[in-house]
Amino acid sequence: MNDEGARDLSMSLRTCTKLETLNLCGNQINKDGARHISNALARCKDLKSLNMGGNALGAEGAEAMASMFSHCVKLEEFEVNWNMIGDAGAASFAKALAHAPSLKTLNLGWNKIGSEGARALLDAIQALLEAKPHRCNAFEKCTLSGNEAMGEEGGELKRRFPLLVEVAALAE
C-alpha cells in the first residue's frame, strides 16, 4: 500500500465512523502514512481493534498513531509490532496509555525499544495500575518480546508486572 495508498485510504476512513476493526499489517506505511491514518481514525469513535504491525512507522509514526488514543476511546487492541519505533516511539505510547480507557492489549514487540523506552512504559503502567480503582481502565497486556536492549528496566517490567507484561526471550 505505502504512504500514498495510506493517504488515499484515509480519505475513505473519514466517513467510516462506525468502523470497529482495521488491519493494515505489512503495508509499508511510514510516518507520513501514519499521520494520514491517525487523523482519519480520530473520527472512528467505535474502533476496537487496529493492527499496524509490520510497517515502517518509526518514532514519528508511532507518535502520530499514539495521538489517536484520546479520540478512539473504545480501542481495545492495538498491534504495532515490527515497526522500528525505538525508545521515542515507546515513550509516545507510554504517554498515550493514560488516554486509552478501553485499551486491553498493546503489542510493541520487535521494535528496538531500549532502556529509556522500557522506563517510560514501566512508569506509565505503574500509573495505570495506581489509577485503576479510580478510572475505568481495562489494560491487561503489553507485549514487548524481541526488544532485547531494554536492560535493567526490561527486567524490572518483567518482575513487577509478570501477568501484565509479556517479555519473552528477555535476557536478565
Side-chain angles (χ1 to χ4, degrees), residues 142-153:
C142 181
T143 301
L144 292 165
S145 300
N147 292 296
E148 286 84 12
M150 292 189 298
E152 290 180 25
E153 286 79 2

Side-chain angles (χ1 to χ4, degrees), residues 49-144:
S49 177
L50 176 60
N51 188 341
M52 292 291 293
N55 285 291
L57 301 181
E60 291 180 56
E63 182 179 7
M65 296 309 300
S67 71
M68 67 165 212
F69 280 21
S70 60
H71 302 285
C72 299
V73 296
K74 293 182 181 179
L75 187 66
E76 296 176 359
E77 180 180 356
F78 187 38
E79 302 276 336
V80 68
N81 52 317
W82 295 98
N83 270 287
M84 302 174 293
I85 67 170
D87 286 334
S92 294
F93 285 116
K95 184 178 178 183
L97 284 177
H99 306 288
S102 299
L103 191 67
K104 292 180 181 179
T105 62
L106 176 63
N107 186 344
L108 296 173
W110 294 275
N111 268 305
K112 300 186 184 232
I113 296 171
S115 61
E116 289 179 30
R119 171 55 58 189
L121 289 165
L122 178 66
D123 294 343
I125 291 170
Q126 182 64 47
L128 280 179
L129 293 177
E130 290 171 359
K132 200 168 192 172
H134 309 291
R135 293 186 57 218
C136 184
N137 194 297
F139 196 68
E140 295 175 357
K141 182 179 175 186
C142 181
T143 301
L144 292 165

